[in-house]
Amino acid sequence: MSYPLVILLCVGLLHQTARAVIMDKLADNKICGDAECSHVLSMATALDDFIAPDCRFINIKKGQMVYVYSKLVPEEGAGVFWSGSVYSERYVDQMGIIGYFPATVLKETHKFTQDTVKIPTTGMDFYCD
């Protein structure tokens, strides 16, 4: 194998991993239904549209159903954000994508669990690809 080909291969591999970014934390702690945040806390309905300002967030359309997986514990002066995934027959392309959104654009319609755990957030909670 020649050196230019090896260098080109290495640069290509580095370029692939350079796209991922760990963004600033939105909070230091979050509330979840279990230690892995894999259980849905609640179901909510979007009261208004929300356009994601960056890759940590998801777009939500008014009337859309949303599964809430965690609720960030806000720092003083910070907004209240939840994480979840949209559910709708009209927006199938967004289903399964988990991201943040302001709690103020949703109305909880059904709580699945009353038992919650407070755990610290990590850089991976705010990972963008």
Side-chain angles (χ1 to χ4, degrees), residues 57-75:
F57 298 87
I58 58 171
N59 294 323
I60 297 176
K61 303 285 185 193
K62 182 177 181 176
Q64 200 168 32
M65 299 301 294
V66 179
Y67 290 112
V68 179
Y69 285 94
S70 69
K71 297 177 179 182
L72 296 180
V73 178
E75 307 295 322

Side-chain angles (χ1 to χ4, degrees), residues 1-14:
M1 191 179 269
S2 66
Y3 287 113
L5 184 58
V6 171
I7 291 171
L8 185 60
L9 180 62
C10 290
V11 169
L13 291 174
L14 289 175

Side-chain angles (χ1 to χ4, degrees), residues 44-56:
T45 302
L47 301 172
D48 206 355
D49 290 349
F50 173 72
I51 305 300
D54 63 46
C55 59
R56 296 172 293 183

